[in-house]
Amino acid sequence: MKERIYTIPINEAFDQDTECALCVCERKLENDALDYTIGPSMMEPDSRVETNRTGFCTEHFTKLYNLQQNRLALGLVIDTHMVEQLEHLEKLYKKQADAVKKESEKGLIGSALDSLKGKGSSSQRLIDDLLEKLTALEGTCAVCDRITNNMERLIENTIFLYDTENDFKRKFLASKGFCLKHFKQLLSAARKELSGGRQAEFLKSLLPKELSELKRIQDEVNHFTKMFDYRNQSGDWKNSRDAVPRSIEKLCGPCELKR
Ligand SMILES: [Zn+2]
Ligand SMILES: [Zn+2]
């Protein structure tokens, strides 16, 4: 088994009364990754090579900025990231610049003749190259990468704890189940980490738990909707007042809902 560095945070998250203990873990890993990015990361050449290449997704650029901490570090990280990306874009443009210029001077008839000869247009190629580059950049984020890697290990550790420690297994089974995102990650880790009877035992516990918790929250949302019926004006909301945001979190995993 790999390192078990997550034993303490996992246990602490499963001690909380929450719709998904792994969401609690992921939020913590996200905060750590954000702090790391504007903290130690900027002094590490390897991390800078990484952030220069990947940049951040919109959500994490926003969160990094909104932290309002270490603005110099964020500025330095953005500066070298932009230098690198500008170089890439300039290179793509320079490769086709002369051909595009010639094409622009040919006019309509010249271009029509070229396309009749089956000659692909340079401006088309330039657009394709730029779109490919920009799409790739859109899909990379150093914070997302860090969370994904650490979360994968954390989920493996969770399964290991379930499999080896009875106290933890009890906590796991007493929890409110998991959001669909982490339910999926648990299943995929179980496929990798457990085999034979241990895998079956895990599924035998996880599935009834998860399904009954999903049913519970669906009942709560249903109760919430019924409370808008005038006949229920003086009825009891029970646990349903925040059933909608809880159900969204159950379906999506960590999200930023106004509560
Ligand atoms: Zn979750
Ligand atoms: Zn991200």
Side-chain angles (χ1 to χ4, degrees):
M1 182 66 197
K2 297 121 199 168
E3 313 154 66
R4 293 178 50 202
I5 52 169
Y6 293 116
T7 304
I8 296 168
I10 293 170
N11 265 296
E12 283 173 357
F14 276 86
D15 285 335
Q16 291 186 33
D17 178 20
T18 170
E19 288 292 345
C20 175
L22 293 173
C23 281
V24 174
C25 294
E26 188 172 314
R27 280 212 180 86
K28 186 175 179 317
L29 288 182
E30 182 184 41
N31 289 334
D32 291 350
L34 292 169
D35 288 343
Y36 175 76
T37 302
I38 49 165
S41 154
M42 57 150 303
M43 301 298 288
E44 279 181 31
D46 283 356
S47 299
R48 289 298 287 279
V49 168
E50 188 66 5
T51 52
N52 289 346
R53 181 181 68 79
T54 58
F56 306 98
C57 66
T58 308
E59 184 187 347
H60 287 131
F61 257 131
T62 308
K63 285 183 175 171
L64 284 168
Y65 181 77
N66 287 346
L67 278 177
Q68 297 289 338
Q69 282 167 20
N70 209 343
R71 287 188 302 164
L72 170 62
L74 182 57
L76 290 167
V77 168
I78 293 176
D79 181 24
T80 53
H81 168 65
M82 289 194 79
V83 168
E84 183 165 319
Q85 298 312 314
L86 258 165
E87 263 174 31
H88 284 306
L89 296 174
E90 261 170 0
K91 218 161 108 189
L92 292 177
Y93 177 53
K94 278 189 186 147
K95 212 168 74 185
Q96 309 283 355
D98 289 342
V100 168
K101 186 165 177 282
K102 270 190 212 134
E103 246 167 47
S104 75
E105 288 155 359
K106 268 185 194 163
L108 215 55
I109 297 171
S111 310
L113 282 172
D114 276 354
S115 75
L116 273 177
K117 282 184 216 153
K119 234 171 134 188
S121 96
S122 303
S123 39
Q124 196 63 49
R125 262 196 303 280
L126 176 58
I127 290 176
D128 289 348
D129 289 350
L130 288 170
L131 288 180
E132 192 186 330
K133 168 67 198 156
L134 293 171
T135 307
L137 185 59
E138 239 172 20
T140 55
C141 167
V143 172
C144 281
D145 287 350
R146 200 171 167 79
I147 299 169
T148 306
N149 286 337
N150 290 342
M151 202 58 200
E152 220 168 88
R153 282 155 67 208
L154 187 142
I155 287 183
E156 285 167 10
N157 285 190
T158 304
I159 293 201
F160 176 78
L161 285 174
Y162 174 91
D163 202 33
T164 55
E165 290 185 13
N166 277 333
D167 276 353
F168 181 76
K169 188 173 175 177
R170 263 193 294 280
K171 269 196 232 181
F172 184 100
L173 295 175
S175 75
K176 289 183 168 163
F178 303 93
C179 70
L180 293 186
K181 175 183 175 179
H182 292 130
F183 175 51
K184 181 182 167 201
Q185 290 176 358
L186 276 170
L187 291 171
S188 113
R191 182 166 63 183
K192 221 169 69 189
E193 301 292 316
L194 302 172
S195 55
R198 284 156 67 224
Q199 193 179 68
E201 197 279 331
F202 182 68
L203 290 180
K204 192 190 80 191
S205 302
L206 176 64
L207 263 295
K209 164 103 245 153
E210 181 68 10
L211 293 174
S212 77
E213 297 296 338
L214 287 171
K215 176 75 185 122
R216 167 188 54 81
I217 205 156
Q218 183 262 314
D219 283 343
E220 288 171 355
V221 175
N222 182 266
H223 186 75
F224 174 86
T225 63
K226 296 260 168 60
M227 292 307 288
F228 287 83
D229 189 324
Y230 70 95
R231 284 165 296 188
N232 291 328
Q233 251 171 11
S234 55
D236 180 3
W237 284 81
K238 295 189 196 159
N239 198 22
S240 76
R241 284 189 193 276
D242 64 345
V244 168
R246 278 189 295 111
S247 67
I248 295 173
E249 284 163 355
K250 203 77 174 174
L251 292 166
C252 303
C255 40
E256 310 293 321
L257 302 173
K258 286 183 187 164
R259 303 287 282 260

